[in-house]
Amino acid sequence: MDKYFHSVRLDTSKCVGCMNCIKRCPTEAIRVRKGKAKMIHERCIDCGECIRVCPHHAKYAERESLTSIVNYKYRIALPAPALYGQFANLDDINIILNVLKRMGFDEVAEVSKGAELVSHATRKLMAAGAFRKPVISSACPVVCRLIRISFPELIPNVVNLNAPFEEAARLAREKAMKEHNLKAEDIGVFFITPCPAKITAIKQPLFGEKSNLDGAVAISDIYPVMLQQMKKVTEIENIQHSGRIGVGWAVSGGEASALLLDNSLHVDGIENVIKILEEIEDNKLNNVDFIELNACTEGCVGGCLTAENPYIAKNRLQTLKKYLPVACNRIGDDNVPHEMFWQKPLEELPVMRLSGNIVDAMRMMTDIKEIQKMLPNLDCGTCGAPSCKALAEDVVKGYASINDCIFMLRKQLDDSEMESLIPAPYRKEE
Amino acid sequence: MGELNFKYDVLKNDFTCAGEASGKIKRTLKDLGFDSNLIRNVAIAVYEGEINMVIHADGGVITCDISPEAITVVLDDKGPGIPDVDLAMQEGFSTAPDNVRQLGFGAGMGLPNIKKYADDMLIETQVGVGTKITLKFLVK
């Protein structure tokens, strides 16, 4: 598989080459070239901001269709707890789980179960002082990818445990193999995902050779089918087995509160996450025990593959959680099982630096400064880069020309001739 | 000389922009590909110094010189000056007024912290004129 696989893709037939996505991308990973958006793949962290902001729906997440599950003899659905917040007037999570079973899945394994196990393991490891403080959560794959390209100094602070969906998948497959005498390859384990980043995490895992999952189905794809099926469910089997702690992970703050600490912090929204990582890097949060970071607004309920508004989903989850026990799953009294840990560490990926050689990088930076002085610093984006600084970098790297800037082009022509052709905000005279 | 220079203005009592200069220096060092430990030391020390300028001085100027061997940062302010440098270097010593302490600043750790994170620190100060702190971070 491609080293820089991403589930976030572009439908060039829909892209009109506007400035929306290039301005919104937190890692400046998009440029407009030949009238279309072009991704700088090594910089993309799969946050889905471009999918959210594109008015032409040209950005999308590559994912499995619901029918792809038929390729497996035995199919397991792994619903993210965010799925529970998508439905109005729902008073029992069991209805959702039973509907999934009617849709062709042989078994349903709640990701919230995995979340409770990860919470318990994190509590144990933190009590043993296993991480550098402030401890940073690793459940959001966007955050992990952001840390490795922009904040590598913070890697020792990150919890080195597999995300809840990986843990839930591992246990579900083991159980199915034992109970139904199946081979591992006969079983298809599918995550019902709220976001593209988790699809990438399955296809191109950061922390091991292979994911415990076989694919992912988007909540937004399965939602309309589930709505139809819900009307048909008459008998409801009681299979729900996770509590407030596990279900709470769907919303920002859930993971942190599950650690039962007095001194934690939870932050959501990619811009806020970046600001907090800066603060951690500057040693300003050393007194905080744990920091939960979610790239999406309000956490996983804000994922760009969900069907419902994140605040409404949050409110519904609050109601659904009301009659649940605190937790239903724990890892036992022994040490944290080694299967729960990452198989390989998070590694720095220095794609943001100008060059691998500091002397070369300094020469480039000097040129960038000179070019920046010439540019108008309006950050209009018309050149296809998100800012004048980004254009200056692209010019020095050889990816763009300074005349891609319409204001630079104008300077080459006679000012008096051009004045009437210049857009009103930038004319020298009325 | 092959050196890169950056200059930033720091404004008095402007907490909304406090940290902007140190943040920009950090960003630049990351783009250049310096070691992340070194970058962190520079960021922490310069942030402390920048906050000191916001609180104590009538603003000032931060300059940053980058070479492959060392990062030199000069924090130059027009402020009250430091009457007793040895006392100011003691951990916990603070002259910050209450309104500043309420914002979480002024714990008396600024100068000692700066010294801790820099490889070399020179304080030139004159009461009533200003303070110039020169910090050097060596690239190892």
Side-chain angles (χ1 to χ4, degrees), chain A residues 132 150-151 153-154 278 280-284 352-355 358-359 361-362 365-366 369 389 393, chain B residues 2-6 26-28 30-34 36-37 40 43-44 47 66-68 117 139:
Chain A
R132 191 167 79 184
S150 291
F151 301 92
E153 178 57 22
L154 300 179
E278 296 280 359
I280 302 171
E281 200 176 44
D282 294 351
N283 269 4
K284 283 185 244 167
M352 303 301 272
R353 59 178 59 162
L354 292 168
S355 161
I358 287 183
V359 179
M362 284 183 59
M365 182 74 79
T366 310
K369 271 182 76 180
K389 182 171 184 268
E393 282 176 24
Chain B
E3 279 208 8
L4 261 173
N5 315 292
F6 295 88
K26 184 163 83 173
R27 178 84 265 145
T28 300
K30 281 187 179 185
D31 288 349
L32 289 170
F34 281 97
S36 53
N37 254 314
R40 200 170 187 197
I44 295 166
Y47 176 77
I66 303 168
S67 83
Y117 288 99
V139 180

Side-chain angles (χ1 to χ4, degrees), chain A residues 114-149:
Chain A
E116 293 187 345
L117 297 171
V118 173
S119 288
H120 191 198
T122 310
R123 287 200 297 271
K124 279 193 170 194
L125 293 169
M126 283 187 68
F131 312 109
R132 191 167 79 184
K133 276 193 186 177
V135 180
I136 301 173
S137 65
S138 58
C140 176
V142 174
V143 171
C144 292
R145 286 176 191 272
L146 177 65
I147 287 175
R148 90 177 172 142
I149 67 167

Side-chain angles (χ1 to χ4, degrees), chain B residues 11-135:
Chain B
L11 299 174
K12 182 189 182 180
N13 278 334
D14 186 352
F15 283 92
T16 54
C17 296
E20 210 172 274
S22 52
K24 281 182 178 165
I25 291 172
K26 184 163 83 173
R27 178 84 265 145
T28 300
L29 295 177
K30 281 187 179 185
D31 288 349
L32 289 170
F34 281 97
D35 173 67
S36 53
N37 254 314
L38 172 81
I39 296 173
R40 200 170 187 197
N41 289 345
V42 176
I44 295 166
V46 178
Y47 176 77
E48 289 284 3
E50 189 179 354
I51 290 294
N52 279 349
M53 289 168 87
V54 173
I55 297 171
H56 300 291
D58 291 333
V61 174
I62 296 178
T63 51
C64 177
D65 287 308
I66 303 168
S67 83
E69 294 79 35
I71 321 277
T72 310
V73 180
V74 179
L75 302 118
D76 199 351
D77 71 52
K78 293 190 179 23
I82 306 169
D84 186 338
V85 174
D86 289 338
L87 186 63
M89 287 302 294
Q90 281 177 22
E91 291 190 4
F93 175 78
S94 176
T95 57
D98 282 349
N99 66 332
V100 169
R101 283 176 175 253
Q102 276 162 10
L103 289 166
F105 300 98
M109 291 303 292
L111 283 177
N113 251 341
I114 295 173
K115 193 178 167 66
K116 199 164 104 190
Y117 288 99
D119 290 297
D120 195 28
M121 175 179 182
L122 174 70
I123 303 180
E124 297 161 86
T125 182
Q126 208 179 334
V127 174
V129 179
T131 301
K132 183 176 164 188
I133 299 178
T134 307
L135 303 174

Side-chain angles (χ1 to χ4, degrees), chain A residues 41-296:
Chain A
H41 292 287
E42 61 269 31
R43 284 189 171 202
C44 175
I45 54 173
D46 292 282
C47 66
E49 286 296 309
C50 53
I51 296 179
R52 248 186 277 266
V53 76
C54 179
H56 311 285
H57 307 291
K59 283 288 174 93
Y60 68 99
E62 175 76 14
R63 66 241 194 193
E64 263 82 30
S65 70
L66 198 47
T67 50
S68 66
I69 66 168
V70 299
N71 298 329
Y72 295 87
K73 205 164 128 189
Y74 190 87
R75 306 131 191 172
I76 307 175
L78 255 69
L83 178 69
Y84 307 161
Q86 306 298 307
F87 305 93
N89 307 317
L90 181 95
D91 54 10
D92 186 356
I93 293 169
N94 276 306
I95 299 170
I96 293 174
L97 307 181
N98 279 266
V99 164
L100 287 170
K101 280 187 118 175
R102 282 180 60 100
M103 288 170 58
F105 289 103
D106 299 287
E107 184 62 271
V108 179
E110 292 178 274
V111 172
S112 43
K113 274 188 188 179
E116 293 187 345
L117 297 171
V118 173
S119 288
H120 191 198
T122 310
R123 287 200 297 271
K124 279 193 170 194
L125 293 169
M126 283 187 68
F131 312 109
R132 191 167 79 184
K133 276 193 186 177
V135 180
I136 301 173
S137 65
S138 58
C140 176
V142 174
V143 171
C144 292
R145 286 176 191 272
L146 177 65
I147 287 175
R148 90 177 172 142
I149 67 167
S150 291
F151 301 92
E153 178 57 22
L154 300 179
I155 289 173
N157 299 53
V158 180
V159 174
N160 59 341
L161 290 170
N162 288 325
F165 71 113
E166 284 288 347
E167 183 58 10
R170 180 178 72 81
L171 295 173
R173 191 186 300 269
E174 276 175 11
K175 183 168 171 264
M177 285 167 73
K178 208 186 281 177
E179 288 180 2
H180 302 283
N181 203 17
L182 292 160
K183 284 186 231 151
E185 59 268 30
D186 291 335
I187 306 167
V189 185
F190 292 87
F191 183 45
I192 317 287
T193 184
C195 73
K198 293 207 173 81
I199 302 175
T200 305
I202 293 167
K203 303 277 178 199
Q204 185 71 271
L206 279 180
F207 310 116
E209 291 311 314
K210 198 180 171 297
S211 166
N212 295 316
L213 290 105
D214 298 292
V217 177
I219 288 181
S220 52
D221 292 341
I222 208 168
Y223 174 77
V225 190
M226 288 186 76
L227 280 183
Q228 290 303 316
Q229 290 290 330
M230 266 185 181
K231 297 169 193 159
K232 298 174 191 162
V233 184
T234 45
E235 272 181 48
I236 296 164
E237 193 190 344
N238 188 2
I239 46 176
Q240 203 266 333
H241 190 69
S242 61
R244 290 183 198 192
I245 281 187
V247 175
W249 274 60
V251 178
S252 177
E255 183 189 1
S257 66
L259 297 175
L260 316 170
L261 299 163
D262 300 321
N263 188 7
S264 65
L265 186 69
H266 60 93
V267 179
D268 53 274
I270 189 73
E271 296 301 331
N272 298 325
V273 165
I274 291 170
K275 281 182 193 155
I276 280 291
L277 286 167
E278 296 280 359
E279 304 263 337
I280 302 171
E281 200 176 44
D282 294 351
N283 269 4
K284 283 185 244 167
L285 293 170
N286 288 354
N287 61 330
V288 177
D289 291 326
F290 183 85
I291 302 183
E292 175 188 339
L293 301 173
N294 288 292
C296 296

